[in-house]
């Protein structure tokens, strides 16, 4: 989130919730939206293919066809530009590339938009008028936006809308991506990803060398961990298509097939293509699952050998920080010691490292500290988790975790009563800090940044411009704004690039001593000495620069977002007009099909019904945890799908009958039909929180004795269609087709 929920309650006047069902998935966050309605008269607009519980609270609900949000937003932009409702000063001063957006928007007349999205011309005009004229407006989204083959473009068109309306970097505005799991923000920031080092430091030798220093290991040693040096900077297999690394049915780029799988903290049946996953599990030499529960990855396979379940302690038995959806940290203390023979996650990893002979290297970084700009070993042993946090704070400059020391974060937790829940401001001894030090929290004196990109707030109080990440110019156009975009109280007028050793003296107008130069890192993001940060703060300057926001991402297949039909689209007529991307030969090491799959045949003839994914309030993720609770399982005792009575009865499926749902690749699931009018007769909606049954086959016998949950069922991901985002490889969970059959 660029902003935070307290800000929504206080300042927001229009909330555009597009592709999120927060009433179910984030009820506490949603409470703030309801309060904004009540206290602030804010309008709630919900755009969703399904009439959700969130939609039930909306002032305006628009039923969009899945996968057409880009078209919808262009339809809004068309009207905004036509009526002159855009924020011209903001576009001129703080953005780059909006002219290209304007050209594309010109094509999206209300009639064209209505045809593609399923939203009527009148609704489009109404919603645009309301949202463009009610300031400040905030956008909220989650999985309805990301889980598409165009997911990454979806996540760009919404910030573009906010830039055009001048809603970015403003209290009550911004882009609020409501994060999912407990600590998913923290896990993303640590980059538990296949294509990045922690803190979003991209793959590449300079970043690896920087981390080698902070970990106290040789770069060469790190490189030798890889089969060959080239793999060091290549993306790894991702969670979405790891199975192809085992099966190797499509072209795969790796030195050998994957032979062993270690699963720690993900449910696996929460990924698409579960039948492929099942096949891959059979073929592995080794499967290890480290989980507090019996992860159903171990249940959907019939393999008997070389499969190990390691009991892991829960969050209540461990200590450390978690990050909330608004980028703030919270220290969490251990409630009880790990029970029975379970071990905390890090202990499991430490044991693993010991067996494989790299424990010393793994933990060395926690014994080190910065002395004169160099990271050196300062003690023989480390304290968990404090020293892990110290390692993070001294290393992750990129998003500004420099101020996240264990001491400060503990004090925040011990002093909850001293923070204002709406403004996040501390009082009394916590005065001058924002709760949880929302990042960027540049250094130990910085208060945290509750709202991103707000130039009306001084840097030392949490303000900043846009980040200078993409060079100084593009096609001859400067990416640095002029005098007018001045960060309050900054001694440097207007825009400036990111601060490096080479430009710091010139930009800040200072002279460094020889001693300072000797220990300073090459740039703000790799400066262990902290001098760059310190000098910048003295001048009220943000070390990452004060740049323009770019609408054009020149290195992506679509430099500006373009509507492209889902891989399996119900509109064959539109597939030709808005085709998907070319196939990718190497996307996270595996071939990934786009156009060849989309245009193979008119899939909608045999599979006429759209699939939309949903959550239920009593279950989370792959669902094993809650299905082990008698009372939570009781609420949804079996897997089901919401289906409109007209569609169901067309196939002779009465309310509460069983039905088969068939997917284009020949997979199927058997589920209970719930007649329900939240969906229209062209789509069905199903939860993804079940497992334990595969294509009608009950796998109960595979649960170790006494561990079968109270509710099991088909995983909807058995029929999630083939389809992945072109940049992130996230599965197209939220678009796809199926066929209904009475069971
Ligand atoms: N069809 C469909 N599929 C989806 C989605 C969808 O909307 N539709 N959503 C996707 C999204 S956004 C997500 S985040 C995923 C979520 O899916 P998963 O990541 O699979 O979610 P969980 O079931 O929470 O899985 C976490 C596993 O970690 C275990 N666990 C819990 N606490 C701990 C711990 O402290 N340590 C360890 N080692 N393990 C622990 C749990 O017991 C569980 O087995 O599903 C994705 N899949
Ligand atoms: N009870 C419960 N709470 C949870 C979870 C859980 O499993 N159970 N999971 C957590 C996790 S990991 C996450 S990531 C969050 C997810 O939080 P949300 O994303 O809010 O949850 P979803 O239910 O997946 O809601 C996505 C919404 O997008 C809609 N949608 C689908 N396709 C489209 C589309 O093309 N365009 C638009 N505009 N809308 C579309 C769907 O109909 C659905 O209502 O929830 C978190 N909270
Ligand atoms: Mo998630």
């Amino acid at each position: 989130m660029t902003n935070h929920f307290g800000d929504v309650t206080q300042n927001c006047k229009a909330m555009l919730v597009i592709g999120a069902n927060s009433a179910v998935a984030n009820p506490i966050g949603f409470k703030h939206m309801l309060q904004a309605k009540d206290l602030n008269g804010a309008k709630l607009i919900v755009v969703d293919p399904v009439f959700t519980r969130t939609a039930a609270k909306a002032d305006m609900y628009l039923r969009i066809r899945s996968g057409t949000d880009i078209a919808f937003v262009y339809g809004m932009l068309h009207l905004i530009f036509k009526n002159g409702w855009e924020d011209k000063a903001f576009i001129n001063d703080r953005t780059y590339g909006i002219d290209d957006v304007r050209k594309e928007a010109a094509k999206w007349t209300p009639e064209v938009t209505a045809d593609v999205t399923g939203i009527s011309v009148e609704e489009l005009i109404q919603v645009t008028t309301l949202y463009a004229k009610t300031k400040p407006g905030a956008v909220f989204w989650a999985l309805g936006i990301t889980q598409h083959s165009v997911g990454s473009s979806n996540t760009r068109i919404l910030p573009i809308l906010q830039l055009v309306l001048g809603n970015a970097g403003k209290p009550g505005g911004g882009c609020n991506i409501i994060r999912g799991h407990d600590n998913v923000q923290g896990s993303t920031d640590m980059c538990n990803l296949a294509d990045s080092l922690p803190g979003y430091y991209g793959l590449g030798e300079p970043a690896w060398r920087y981390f080698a220093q902070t970990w106290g290991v040789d770069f060469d040693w790190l490189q030798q961990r890889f089969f060959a040096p080239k793999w060091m900077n290549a993306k790894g297999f991702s969670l979405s298509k790891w199975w192809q690394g085992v099966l190797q049915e499509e072209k795969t780029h790796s030195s050998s097939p994957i032979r062993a799988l270690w699963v720690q903290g993900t449910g696996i049946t929460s990924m698409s293509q579960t039948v492929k996953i099942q096949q891959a599990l059979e073929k592995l030499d080794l499967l290890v699952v480290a989980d507090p529960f019996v992860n159903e990855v171990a249940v959907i396979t019939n393999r008997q050998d070389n499969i190990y379940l390691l009991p892991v302690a829960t969050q209540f038995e461990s200590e450390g920080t978690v990050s909330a959806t608004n980028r703030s940290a919270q220290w969490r203390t251990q409630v009880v010691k790990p029970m029975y023979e379970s071990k905390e996650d890090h202990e499991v990893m430490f044991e693993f490292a010991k067996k494989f002979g790299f424990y010393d290297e793994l933990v060395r970084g926690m014994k080190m500290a910065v002395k004169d700009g160099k990271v050196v070993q300062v003690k023989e042993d480390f304290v968990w988790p404090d020293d892990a946090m110290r390692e993070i704070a001294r290393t992750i400059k990129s998003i500004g975790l420099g101020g996240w020391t264990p001491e400060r974060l503990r004090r925040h937790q011990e002093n909850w009563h001293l923070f204002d829940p709406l403004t996040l401001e501390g009082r009394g001894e916590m005065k001058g800090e924002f709760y949880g030090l929302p990042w960027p929290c540049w250094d130990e004196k910085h208060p945290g940044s509750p709202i991103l990109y707000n130039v009306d707030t001084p840097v030392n109080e949490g303000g900043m411009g846009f980040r200078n990440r993409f060079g100084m110019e593009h096609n001859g156009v400067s990416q640095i704004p002029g005098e007018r975009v001045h960060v309050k109280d900054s001694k440097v007028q207007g825009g400036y690039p990111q601060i490096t050793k080479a430009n710091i003296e010139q930009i800040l107008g200072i002279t460094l001593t020889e001693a300072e130069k000797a220990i300073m890192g090459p740039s703000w993001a790799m400066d262990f000495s902290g001098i760059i940060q310190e000098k910048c703060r003295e001048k009220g300057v943000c070390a990452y620069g004060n740049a323009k926001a770019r609408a054009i991402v020149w290195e992506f297949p679509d430099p500006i977002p373009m509507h492209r039909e889902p891989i399996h689209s119900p509109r064959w007529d539109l597939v030709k007009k808005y085709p998907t991307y070319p196939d990718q030969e190497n996307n996270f090491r595996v071939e990934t099909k786009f156009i060849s799959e989309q245009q193979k045949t008119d899939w909608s003839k045999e599979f006429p019904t759209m699939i939309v994914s949903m959550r239920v309030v009593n279950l989370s993720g792959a669902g094993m945890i809650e299905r082990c609770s008698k009372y939570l399982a009781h609420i949804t005792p079996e897997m089901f799908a919401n289906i409109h009575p007209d569609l169901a009865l067309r196939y002779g499926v009465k309310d509460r009958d069983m039905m088969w749902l068939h997917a284009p690749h020949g997979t199927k699931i058997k589920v209970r039909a719930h007649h329900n009018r939240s969906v229209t007769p062209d789509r069905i909606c199903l939860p993804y929180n079940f497992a334990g049954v595969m294509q009608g086959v009950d796998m109960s016998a595979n649960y170790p004795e006494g561990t079968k949950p109270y509710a099991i069922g088909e995983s909807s991901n058995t029929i999630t269609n083939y389809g992945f985002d072109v940049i992130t490889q996230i599965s197209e969970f939220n678009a796809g087709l199926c066929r209904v059959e009475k069971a």
Side-chain angles (χ1 to χ4, degrees):
M1 289 176 80
T2 58
N3 294 45
H4 59 94
F5 278 117
D7 170 65
V8 175
T9 306
Q10 294 175 92
N11 301 316
C12 185
K13 295 281 191 213
M15 300 172 282
L16 176 62
V17 177
I18 178 163
N21 182 13
S22 308
V24 167
N26 298 81
I28 308 290
F30 190 59
K31 187 196 76 177
H32 290 264
M33 296 190 213
L34 295 179
Q35 284 176 341
K37 264 168 75 93
D38 289 347
L39 302 177
N40 215 13
K43 298 286 179 215
L44 177 64
I45 302 161
V46 173
V47 184
D48 198 300
V50 176
F51 187 79
T52 60
R53 291 191 164 132
T54 308
K57 296 285 181 191
D59 296 286
M60 199 175 172
Y61 164 63
L62 303 175
R63 192 188 290 277
I64 195 171
R65 172 165 71 88
S66 289
T68 64
D69 297 86
I70 296 167
F72 169 67
V73 178
Y74 272 127
M76 287 180 80
L77 289 167
H78 179 95
L79 292 169
I80 289 167
F81 289 128
K82 197 168 150 190
N83 290 295
W85 291 334
E86 73 274 26
D87 185 333
K88 295 178 187 69
F90 193 98
I91 294 172
N92 185 52
D93 294 346
R94 294 194 67 186
T95 71
Y96 167 68
I98 297 292
D99 283 346
D100 289 18
V101 171
R102 189 189 292 267
K103 273 187 219 129
E104 179 61 22
K107 299 178 197 157
W108 291 92
T109 62
E111 291 71 24
V112 173
T113 308
D115 176 46
V116 171
T117 62
I119 288 167
S120 72
V121 169
E122 294 71 30
E123 285 172 325
L124 184 70
I125 294 171
Q126 262 182 22
V127 72
T128 310
T129 312
L130 176 65
Y131 191 67
K133 291 189 159 186
T134 318
K135 297 278 183 72
V139 177
F140 300 82
W141 77 79
L143 303 183
I145 286 300
T146 54
Q147 295 177 339
H148 292 281
S149 48
V150 292
S152 45
S153 288
N154 272 343
T155 63
R156 292 169 50 222
I157 195 73
L158 290 164
I160 287 173
L161 175 69
Q162 292 296 71
L163 292 171
V164 166
L165 290 173
N167 275 328
K170 301 270 167 70
C175 293
N176 297 304
I177 304 100
I178 307 172
R179 304 308 309 260
H181 272 80
D182 174 40
N183 199 34
V184 71
Q185 182 66 48
S187 142
T188 314
D189 295 342
M190 287 305 107
C191 291
N192 294 327
L193 300 166
D195 61 345
S196 175
L197 284 165
Y200 312 94
Y201 286 80
L203 296 175
E205 195 172 320
W208 278 113
R209 286 196 181 277
Y210 177 68
F211 278 91
Q213 282 180 61
T214 200
W215 292 332
V217 296
D218 289 337
F219 173 80
D220 294 343
W221 181 83
L222 278 178
Q223 198 173 57
Q224 283 155 20
R225 304 300 97 205
F226 293 86
F227 184 74
K230 70 170 182 174
W231 299 114
M232 194 172 193
N233 296 323
K235 293 179 184 180
F237 290 103
S238 89
L239 188 57
S240 295
K241 287 192 87 178
W242 65 270
W243 44 267
Q244 208 189 106
V246 184
L247 299 175
Q248 307 239 331
E249 287 169 346
E250 291 170 332
K251 193 166 174 96
T252 306
H253 303 261
S254 67
S255 42
S256 84
I258 296 175
R259 310 268 296 272
L261 187 71
W262 183 286
V263 181
Q264 187 163 358
T266 180
I268 294 287
T269 53
S270 47
M271 290 295 113
S272 64
Q273 317 289 309
T274 46
V275 173
K276 291 285 175 200
I277 292 175
Q278 199 181 26
Q279 290 164 4
L281 291 173
E282 304 291 335
K283 233 181 134 184
L284 290 168
D285 292 355
L286 175 69
L287 172 63
V288 185
V289 190
D291 198 304
F293 289 77
V294 174
N295 188 310
E296 280 151 328
V297 67
V299 170
I300 63 169
T301 165
N302 286 323
R303 65 178 300 147
Q304 300 293 320
D305 296 327
N306 292 329
I307 170 167
Y308 297 89
L309 306 185
L310 307 180
V312 167
T314 62
Q315 54 169 300
F316 307 104
E317 299 159 272
S318 51
E319 183 177 7
T321 60
V322 286
S323 300
T325 188
N326 69 312
R327 300 164 278 106
S328 67
Q330 195 175 90
W331 194 272
R332 194 143 72 182
T333 37
Q334 193 175 42
V335 181
V336 287
K337 295 265 175 238
M339 293 170 80
Y340 306 105
E341 69 273 39
S342 68
K343 284 193 193 313
E344 292 170 69
D345 276 301
H346 68 278
E347 290 290 349
V348 174
M349 290 173 198
F350 289 171
E351 293 297 324
F352 179 101
K354 280 178 194 160
K355 290 267 185 226
F356 283 82
F358 62 92
Y359 175 73
D360 288 343
E361 289 86 350
L362 181 71
V363 301
R364 194 175 297 148
M366 289 187 281
K367 303 173 188 169
M368 307 189 69
V370 177
K371 288 261 177 311
D372 297 330
K374 292 241 160 354
V375 188
V376 292
Q377 185 160 348
V378 291
K379 53 187 178 183
E380 285 309 308
D381 214 350
F382 63 91
V383 178
W384 181 272
D386 300 55
D387 285 321
M389 197 64 234
R390 287 192 186 98
E391 179 185 315
I392 291 170
R394 74 162 178 263
T395 312
I396 308 300
K397 316 266 176 189
S398 49
I399 51 171
L401 301 190
W404 281 16
T405 62
E407 292 77 14
R408 279 182 100 188
L409 294 174
R410 273 215 177 84
R411 261 161 53 82
H412 278 231
Q413 193 210 12
E414 285 157 8
N415 290 293
W416 280 357
H417 59 292
L418 295 179
F419 289 94
D420 183 313
L422 285 187
T423 64
L424 309 185
E425 283 165 348
R427 305 185 189 110
E429 64 175 282
M430 300 315 292
K431 196 169 166 50
E433 303 203 355
F434 294 103
Y435 179 67
L437 304 168
W439 63 253
C441 173
W442 297 113
D443 58 31
E444 289 185 35
K445 292 184 205 122
H446 194 265
S449 310
I451 296 175
L452 295 181
Y453 318 125
N454 184 359
V455 290
D456 301 327
T457 300
V459 168
N460 291 332
E461 293 170 25
M464 73 207 79
F466 292 120
R467 184 168 168 182
N468 169 223
R469 264 196 101 177
F470 314 109
M472 298 291 285
E473 62 89 40
H474 183 249
N475 285 346
V477 181
S478 170
Q479 298 298 302
I480 306 298
E483 297 270 297
R484 280 203 298 272
V485 185
H486 183 69
V487 183
K488 194 172 170 203
D489 291 353
S490 168
K491 299 275 185 302
V492 175
Q493 183 66 37
Y496 45 82
Q498 58 178 322
I499 308 299
T500 63
K501 186 176 181 177
N503 69 16
I504 187 168
E505 292 184 308
Q506 184 226 329
I507 291 172
L508 300 187
I510 56 169
T511 309
L512 296 170
T513 64
E514 287 309 313
E516 284 170 337
K517 280 188 203 163
I519 61 172
M520 184 181 276
S523 79
W524 67 281
M526 294 193 185
D527 174 32
F528 288 118
S529 79
I531 296 172
I532 297 184
Q533 198 56 257
E534 194 186 309
K535 303 280 177 199
C536 284
R537 292 243 285 114
E538 281 168 12
K539 299 279 180 186
V541 159
C542 176
Y544 80 19
N546 174 11
K548 289 181 182 169
R550 61 171 185 170
I552 306 174
V553 180
W554 42 87
E555 62 273 37
F556 276 12
D558 285 336
I560 59 162
M562 302 292 281
H563 171 63
R564 294 173 180 273
E565 282 291 314
I567 304 293
H568 297 122
S569 165
R571 291 284 303 269
W572 184 243
D573 57 325
L574 295 181
V575 165
K576 295 279 167 203
K577 200 164 166 204
Y578 306 105
T580 188
Y581 303 94
D583 291 359
Q584 288 192 349
E585 201 253 336
N586 182 356
N587 182 322
F588 289 87
R589 299 199 180 186
V590 294
E591 184 185 348
T592 305
K593 297 198 181 86
F594 288 87
I595 192 99
S596 66
E597 178 66 19
Q598 187 190 44
Q599 315 231 333
K600 200 183 274 173
T601 173
D602 177 359
W603 298 99
S604 67
K605 277 198 183 134
E606 209 186 324
F607 303 93
T609 300
M610 286 182 272
I611 302 176
V612 190
S613 201
M614 72 163 171
R615 285 170 158 71
V616 288
V617 78
N618 56 306
L619 303 179
S620 80
M624 179 64 176
I625 304 180
E626 294 80 12
R627 285 185 282 108
C628 285
S629 152
K630 196 170 179 179
Y631 303 102
L632 292 174
H634 179 73
I635 299 168
T636 49
E638 59 185 351
M639 174 61 185
F640 64 95
N642 286 337
I643 181 167
H644 192 280
D646 290 352
L647 173 63
L649 294 173
R650 205 180 296 158
Y651 297 98
V653 177
K654 295 198 290 295
D655 190 28
R656 268 50 182 184
D657 274 356
M658 293 303 284
M659 62 181 173
W660 285 105
L661 300 174
H662 296 268
H665 282 98
T667 55
K668 59 182 181 180
I669 59 175
K670 192 176 169 187
V671 300
R672 182 84 57 196
H674 285 192
H675 283 198
N676 188 300
R677 287 166 195 274
S678 66
V679 277
T680 36
D682 55 356
R683 63 199 70 177
I684 57 154
C685 185
L686 52 166
Y688 82 101
N689 319 83
F690 286 84
V693 180
M694 286 291 290
Q695 307 203 80
V697 179
D698 186 327
M699 313 291 281
S700 289
N702 290 342
Y703 289 96
E705 203 187 326
T707 66
K708 188 182 161 188
Y710 291 96
I712 63 168
E714 295 270 10
S715 167
S716 66
N717 284 322
T718 302
I719 59 159
T720 300
N721 290 195
Y722 185 98
F724 301 90
D725 177 70
V726 70
I727 303 292
T728 65
Q729 211 182 71
I730 195 171
S731 295
E732 196 156 47
F733 295 115
N734 264 317
L737 299 171
C738 73
R739 173 167 56 82
V740 177
E741 183 197 4
K742 187 174 161 49

